[in-house]
């Protein structure tokens, strides 16, 4: 009898243990799945033009603050080749990110056969999602242009500006005023923007204006603060990028259907082209600071996916040792053009786990649009 009792107790213990373990596992899995698979309401895509891994490393070695790149939990790598070229330019790369197609270098929002292809901005604004673009170049430059324009060559700035004025974009900030008000066709696109319901801000002191966001019902914002590109960081751009980002978040987050915001650190690329490490470092640190405030917003908001990536690397930039001294870093360049190296992707927030792994740059678009479609 005692023997049977022991057996029964052992049997019950086994059943209980197995059951509770299974239950615990199941609960864990449910929690994990729900947080991983939850689709974001908002997506913020930050593009560091020309930002490879050595450029990202600048935020570790030349920064008085802790690098904001350290705050991401999901990291991936993208392959950046263009159609017909192993090494991409910013136009083909941004078209891949914005529309999910590989096209030729120089193409803006068109396929390899020069046929217009819908951008993520066009697709989601049809569904009531608000959209915004910020760049430290002209807003008609290749990277931002690829999110709203369709032209066969990136140098068609006046045509690109025309696309922007007639797009559904709710917020934009950058340089490029002359492509709106000093055009060969004499069209006044600033007046057109106002007719289309934009508050237009062309005052050249960004800090003053951007620190006073409009009160009441948010209106569409067109901010053009330089004739062509914005000034370099080390020539007095100040907090244009973080301030424009703050204002964009304030305006766009009022939309109840969510928003998409693209923010470009445009001039990291130009520091690379110039083989000018001081230029590159100051631009990278400005971008890093902007990432920090975007992450702060996203954490507080809870429904925002933040993705940071680049279009390609520029300069063949590396952090070498200085004359054999392993305790001193000497920024070094191997080209004044773009390179073919893999580019990192950083993601945080709902849907971030989709961005781990190694994949083509076109898949960034595919992943984003799939999250907006859930
Ligand atoms: Mg660019
Ligand atoms: Zn470039």
């Amino acid at each position: 009898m005692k023997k049977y009792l022991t057996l029964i107790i052992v049997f019950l213990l086994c059943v209980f243990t197995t059951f509770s373990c299974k239950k615990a596992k199941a609960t864990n899995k449910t929690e994990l799945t729900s947080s991983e698979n939850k689709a974001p309401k908002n997506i913020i895509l930050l593009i560091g033009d020309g930002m490879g891994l050595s450029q990202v490393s600048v935020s570790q070695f030349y920064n008085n603050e802790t690098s904001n790149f350290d705050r991401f939990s999901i990291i991936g790598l993208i392959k950046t080749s263009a159609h017909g070229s192993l090494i991409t330019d910013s136009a083909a790369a941004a078209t891949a990110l914005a529309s999910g197609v590989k096209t030729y270098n120089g193409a803006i929002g068109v396929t390899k056969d020069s046929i217009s292809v819908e951008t993520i901005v066009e697709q989601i604004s049809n569904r009531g999602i608000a959209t915004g673009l910020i760049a430290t170049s002209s807003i008609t430059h290749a990277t931002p242009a690829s999110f709203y324009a369709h032209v066969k060559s990136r140098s068609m700035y006046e045509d690109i500006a025309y696309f922007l004025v007639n797009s559904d974009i709710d917020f934009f900030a950058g340089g490029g005023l002359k492509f709106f008000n000093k055009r060969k066709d004499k069209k006044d696109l600033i007046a057109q923007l106002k007719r289309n319901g934009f508050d237009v801000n062309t005052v050249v002191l960004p800090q003053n204006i951007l620190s006073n966001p409009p009160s009441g019902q948010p209106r569409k914002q067109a901010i053009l603060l330089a004739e062509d590109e914005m000034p370099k960081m080390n020539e007095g751009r100040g907090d244009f990028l973080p301030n424009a980002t703050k204002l964009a978040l304030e305006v766009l987050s009022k939309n109840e259907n969510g928003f998409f915001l693209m923010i470009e650190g445009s001039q990291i690329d130009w520091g690379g082209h110039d083989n000018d490490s001081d230029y590159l470092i100051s631009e990278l640190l400005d971008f890093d600071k902007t990432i920090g405030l975007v992450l702060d917003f996203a954490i507080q908001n809870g429904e925002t996916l933040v993705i940071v990536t680049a279009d390609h690397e520029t300069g063949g930039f590396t952090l070498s040792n200085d004359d054999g001294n392993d305790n001193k870093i000497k920024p070094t360049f191997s080209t004044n053009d773009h390179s073919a190296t893999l580019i990192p992707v950083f993601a945080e927030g709902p849907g971030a786990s989709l961005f781990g792994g190694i994949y083509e740059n076109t898949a960034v678009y595919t992943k984003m649009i799939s999250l907006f479609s859930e």
Side-chain angles (χ1 to χ4, degrees):
M1 183 66 198
K2 206 178 167 190
K3 199 177 165 190
Y4 282 118
L5 200 66
T6 316
L7 269 175
I8 288 168
I9 289 171
V10 168
F11 174 75
L12 282 176
L13 263 173
C14 281
V15 169
F16 180 74
T17 315
T18 316
F19 177 72
S20 51
C21 276
K22 269 194 183 148
K23 198 181 166 198
K25 254 190 191 160
T27 315
N28 250 345
K29 202 175 170 196
T30 315
E31 278 168 7
L32 215 74
T33 312
S34 66
S35 68
E36 270 183 357
N37 284 355
K38 208 177 83 184
K41 181 177 175 188
N42 316 307
I43 298 181
I44 304 174
L45 173 65
L46 294 110
I47 302 176
D49 197 313
M51 187 185 72
L53 210 44
S54 290
Q55 282 84 349
V56 171
S57 308
V58 158
S59 72
Q60 311 289 341
F61 294 108
Y62 295 90
N63 202 346
N64 294 327
E65 318 284 326
T66 308
S67 167
N68 285 297
F69 290 95
D70 291 5
R71 298 167 65 183
F72 289 89
S73 51
I74 303 291
I75 316 292
L77 292 169
I78 48 171
K79 307 177 197 184
T80 64
S81 68
H83 175 77
S85 305
L86 289 176
I87 299 177
T88 189
D89 82 331
S90 294
T95 299
L97 297 172
S99 293
V101 298
K102 291 275 188 185
T103 188
Y104 58 90
N105 283 344
I108 302 283
V110 296
T111 66
K112 62 183 171 58
D113 306 310
S114 297
I115 295 162
S116 292
V117 57
E118 240 184 359
T119 72
I120 186 167
V121 161
E122 290 162 333
Q123 289 176 326
I124 61 174
S125 45
N126 282 338
R127 297 189 227 149
I129 297 173
T131 56
L133 302 172
I134 303 172
T136 54
S137 59
S138 151
I139 200 69
T140 56
H141 210 260
T143 313
S146 298
F147 285 82
Y148 61 81
H150 306 279
V151 291
K152 56 184 196 295
S153 166
R154 58 184 290 170
S155 59
M156 299 164 74
Y157 295 120
E158 294 190 356
D159 299 272
I160 291 169
Y162 195 76
F163 272 101
L164 180 52
V165 168
N166 293 295
S167 74
D168 285 324
I169 287 165
D170 302 284
F171 183 104
F172 64 88
L177 181 58
K178 69 177 183 183
F179 305 115
F180 295 79
N181 66 359
K182 293 190 182 83
R183 297 166 55 86
K184 287 192 199 84
D185 64 11
K186 306 281 185 232
K187 281 189 179 128
D188 182 358
L189 296 193
I190 297 297
Q192 188 62 48
L193 279 168
K194 288 177 182 162
R195 280 196 295 276
N196 292 358
F198 277 89
D199 282 346
V200 180
N201 174 358
T202 58
V203 181
V204 185
L205 276 175
Q207 294 88 334
N208 302 343
I209 300 302
L210 296 177
S211 58
N212 292 313
S215 54
Q217 193 63 19
R219 282 166 52 81
K220 297 198 283 185
Q221 300 290 317
I223 298 165
L224 292 163
L225 300 185
E227 287 296 308
D228 199 335
E229 72 273 4
M230 294 296 295
K232 298 174 181 177
M233 269 318 274
N234 52 24
E235 288 176 359
R237 191 169 76 237
D239 275 339
F240 163 76
L241 191 61
N243 281 347
T245 300
K246 262 185 230 162
L247 182 57
L249 294 174
E250 196 149 335
V251 171
L252 297 174
S253 65
K254 297 215 166 79
N255 186 44
E256 55 186 28
N257 296 325
F259 68 87
F260 171 79
L261 173 62
M262 192 289 295
I263 302 162
E264 187 199 17
S266 317
Q267 299 195 31
I268 300 165
D269 177 62
W270 299 348
H273 282 292
D274 289 356
N275 284 192
D276 180 338
S277 55
D278 290 341
Y279 186 8
L280 189 159
I281 291 166
S282 57
E283 295 297 329
L284 193 284
L285 294 182
D286 178 51
F287 189 61
D288 176 83
K289 182 177 180 180
T290 307
I291 292 171
L293 81 89
V294 166
L295 283 173
D296 292 344
F297 167 87
I299 288 163
Q300 226 217 335
N301 172 270
E303 297 181 294
T304 302
L305 169 64
V306 180
I307 306 160
V308 182
T309 190
D311 45 0
H312 52 71
E313 195 275 341
T314 307
F317 183 60
T318 186
L319 301 173
S320 318
N321 71 14
D322 193 4
D323 253 343
N325 181 354
D326 282 339
N327 217 13
K328 204 171 167 208
I329 287 165
K330 185 175 154 197
T332 313
F333 296 90
S334 65
T335 173
N336 57 15
D337 216 326
H338 303 165
S339 73
T341 185
L342 289 168
I343 290 300
V345 180
F346 303 82
E348 194 65 41
S353 61
L354 278 183
F355 291 83
I358 304 188
Y359 44 92
E360 293 289 344
N361 54 2
T362 48
V364 174
Y365 160 84
T366 317
K367 292 168 195 293
M368 291 192 299
I369 203 75
S370 75
L371 288 169
F372 268 135
S373 306
E374 267 176 38

